Amino acid sequence: MTLKDMLFAVSLFPYLGFLYFLTRSPETPRLALIGFYLLLLFVVVTIPAGIYAQVELGESLANVDWLHGSAEFFLTLSNLVVVLGFREAVKDTLGTTETTSPPDEF
């Protein structure tokens, strides 16, 4: 196991702690919380995809476009859900409705 692999494995513990405390906070927007949990799905999908690329195709995951893109989809999905969750929370906090035109002043 390389140093890079060990650091990756160890980095999961702080993230799991982050999720633990975020889950316990009643102020966390539910949709954003789901997005942060979806990031774990990205990790769960990426690890086997990387192993498959290395063992079966003899390439790094980054060099197998269809497989890399499929795994990265879950990262994009988690980011989108986090943003939508916080967007909803901001809208609720401000008590405004969505407008179609930009504000006149900045």
Side-chain angles (χ1 to χ4, degrees):
M1 181 179 267
T2 66
L3 177 62
K4 178 181 75 168
D5 295 333
M6 289 188 304
L7 288 174
F8 176 75
V10 170
S11 73
L12 288 175
F13 292 108
Y15 190 73
L16 291 174
F18 165 75
L19 287 177
Y20 172 77
F21 288 109
L22 199 64
T23 301
R24 294 177 52 95
S25 172
E27 296 176 1
T28 304
R30 178 120 174 99
L31 192 57
L33 184 61
I34 291 169
F36 284 121
Y37 273 96
L38 281 174
L39 188 58
L40 286 179
L41 180 62
F42 162 71
V43 172
V44 168
V45 167
T46 302
I47 292 171
I51 293 170
Y52 174 80
Q54 189 68 44
V55 172
E56 296 296 323
L57 305 176
E59 290 284 343
S60 168
L61 178 60
N63 294 333
V64 183
D65 288 340
W66 67 271
L67 193 56
H68 185 241
S70 300
E72 289 291 322
F73 166 77
F74 291 99
L75 179 60
T76 302
L77 178 65
S78 70
N79 288 337
L80 181 63
V81 173
V82 167
V83 167
L84 291 175
F86 281 116
R87 177 179 178 260
E88 182 180 307
V90 168
K91 282 175 53 178
D92 289 346
T93 300
L94 296 176
T96 61
T97 59
E98 187 173 331
T99 59
T100 56
S101 60
D104 293 334
E105 297 178 28
F106 289 102

